[in-house]
Amino acid sequence: MKIGILTSGGDCPGLNAVIRGAVLKGIAIHGHEFVGFLDGWRGVVEGDIIDIPRTMVRGIAKQGGTILGTSRTNPFENGGGPEVIKAHMNRLGIDAIIAIGGEGTLAAAKRLTDAGLKIVGVPKTVDNDLDATDYTFGFDTAVQIATEAIDRLRTTGESHHRCMIVEVMGRHVGWIALHAGMAAGAHAILIPEQKVSIEQTAQWVKEAYARGRAPLVVVAEGFVPEHMESPHSERGLDTFGRPRLGGIADRLAPELEARTGIETRATILGHIQRGGVPSAFDRTLATRLGMAAIDSVVEGFWGTMVALKGTDIEHVGFQEALGRLKTVPQKRYDEAAVLFG
């Protein structure tokens, strides 16, 4: 078979390890041929490909980003659609597609599969918000990057007796904030799943300060304070019509300073969480998922994605994968909240 691979949506550490795992197993075990669609769905819509021989994936598991490039292209717009994509696949001799991406990518893959294309998916999101898999690669690396950055900010906060607010990624869920915040010993963790007032946050900050600590607040970009109706967004919409989030830390800093009298600084980590080399955990998970995607292709499990369940890799339908977000359970937040203040 000739298999096309694409990476779509936001990049994250581990994408290259997926590509490597799929290509090595596909060639070594099944004799498959591989091509890569450049820049995600754009390459699929335009039929823009490159060959992926075994030599091309040598040593790439440790590299961040993606050797194929990525974009947030919608395959149903700008001259796309299933008939256009089918025509390109027939012309190029491509039998199936492995789509590596997050919720938006997999939703598009489901629509295309429903239209008759042969597609399997590999879940990718640093937010760790896909309910059908226990963990997604990229998440562990993002948490490590965030934790290290918070540790560094904490020392400067302690030197100046300041309150430090650190904003991490997390559009709909607070997994990065929860894990990085607990690891770094945050005095407050603010996530999209929990409505928390400015007054309560200020109280936690004052309690920490009264003990001689430099208060540390970790907030997810999608956090909505009790007095707001929607997440803070001033950057317009992305290509899928979603608000571009970011900046809630800058909104919180002056309000907390006014309520506590403590000098407060905000830092937004942003895309640094997506960059750099993947952790050992993410390299291993991504490699296993890439190899399992080849099993999906061989078995003809079209319209499914590979998922981590416990320590095993399983195959789940796109519908199950997209059914709901994996949010932080109340008991997990309550567990962390014991350490606040």
Side-chain angles (χ1 to χ4, degrees):
M1 295 180 69
K2 188 175 183 179
I3 303 169
I5 301 178
L6 68 95
T7 52
S8 179
D11 72 311
C12 78
L15 287 169
N16 287 325
V18 177
I19 297 169
R20 175 178 174 271
V23 170
L24 289 183
K25 183 170 185 176
I27 292 175
I29 304 299
H30 302 288
H32 292 326
E33 182 182 352
F34 290 88
V35 297
F37 292 103
L38 297 179
D39 302 330
W41 290 117
R42 181 198 67 77
V44 180
V45 170
E46 299 178 7
D48 189 6
I49 66 170
I50 59 172
D51 291 329
I52 309 180
R54 180 168 185 158
T55 54
M56 188 175 180
V57 300
R58 184 182 298 155
I60 66 171
K62 62 181 178 297
Q63 295 179 17
T66 165
I67 62 171
L68 298 178
T70 187
S71 69
R72 296 189 184 277
T73 301
N74 188 328
F76 294 90
E77 298 178 353
N78 302 316
E83 295 307 318
V84 171
I85 295 172
K86 285 179 184 177
H88 283 309
M89 291 178 67
N90 290 335
R91 175 177 60 85
L92 298 167
I94 298 172
D95 300 295
I97 293 175
I98 296 176
I100 310 169
E103 183 184 11
T105 300
L106 298 179
K110 181 184 183 304
R111 288 181 62 187
L112 292 171
T113 301
D114 291 342
L117 277 71
K118 295 179 178 179
I119 304 177
V120 299
V122 177
K124 178 273 323 169
T125 166
V126 295
D127 289 343
N128 197 41
D129 60 359
L130 289 177
D131 188 60
T133 184
D134 288 348
Y135 281 98
T136 51
F137 66 88
F139 170 68
D140 184 72
T141 305
V143 169
Q144 288 196 26
I145 292 170
T147 301
E148 180 180 349
I150 294 168
D151 287 345
R152 293 175 181 274
L153 289 167
R154 183 163 208 158
T155 60
T156 185
E158 290 171 343
S159 297
H160 293 270
H161 313 293
R162 290 171 175 158
C163 171
M164 305 298 286
I165 305 177
V166 184
E167 180 179 319
V168 300
M169 287 182 169
R171 170 177 289 273
H172 300 297
V173 303
W175 288 109
I176 294 178
L178 183 76
H179 280 234
M182 288 189 71
H187 300 107
I189 300 173
L190 309 175
I191 61 176
E193 296 90 335
Q194 297 286 330
K195 283 280 190 178
V196 179
S197 67
I198 297 296
E199 289 73 22
Q200 174 62 77
T201 308
Q203 180 61 36
W204 285 328
V205 167
K206 288 190 287 187
E207 288 175 4
Y209 193 79
R211 298 198 316 274
R213 305 302 304 277
L216 171 64
V217 178
V218 177
V219 58
E221 63 185 355
F223 170 67
V224 182
E226 203 172 60
H227 68 285
M228 291 174 58
E229 297 296 325
S230 59
H232 177 67
S233 173
E234 55 186 13
R235 305 175 184 176
L237 304 177
D238 64 18
T239 53
F240 289 96
R242 302 174 302 187
R244 297 182 186 274
L245 304 184
I248 185 62
D250 289 329
R251 287 283 302 273
L252 291 174
E255 296 195 37
L256 286 178
E257 184 167 328
R259 284 170 170 77
T260 64
I262 303 168
E263 186 177 4
T264 304
R265 294 286 185 271
T267 299
I268 302 173
L269 297 186
H271 289 86
I272 192 174
Q273 296 161 89
R274 292 190 182 276
V277 299
S279 66
F281 179 89
D282 281 341
R283 295 182 202 187
T284 302
L285 174 59
T287 300
R288 294 182 69 201
L289 291 174
M291 295 172 70
I294 293 301
D295 296 335
S296 297
V297 170
V298 171
E299 297 294 332
F301 293 154
W302 314 123
T304 68
M305 78 169 202
V306 290
L308 180 69
K309 299 286 190 176
T311 58
D312 296 326
I313 304 295
E314 299 182 3
H315 307 268
V316 299
F318 283 152
Q319 188 60 48
E320 179 183 349
L322 300 168
R324 62 178 181 177
L325 290 174
K326 180 175 64 187
T327 57
V328 174
Q330 185 65 49
K331 63 180 181 180
R332 286 294 306 274
Y333 187 77
D334 292 342
E335 179 182 71
V338 171
L339 308 174
F340 295 173

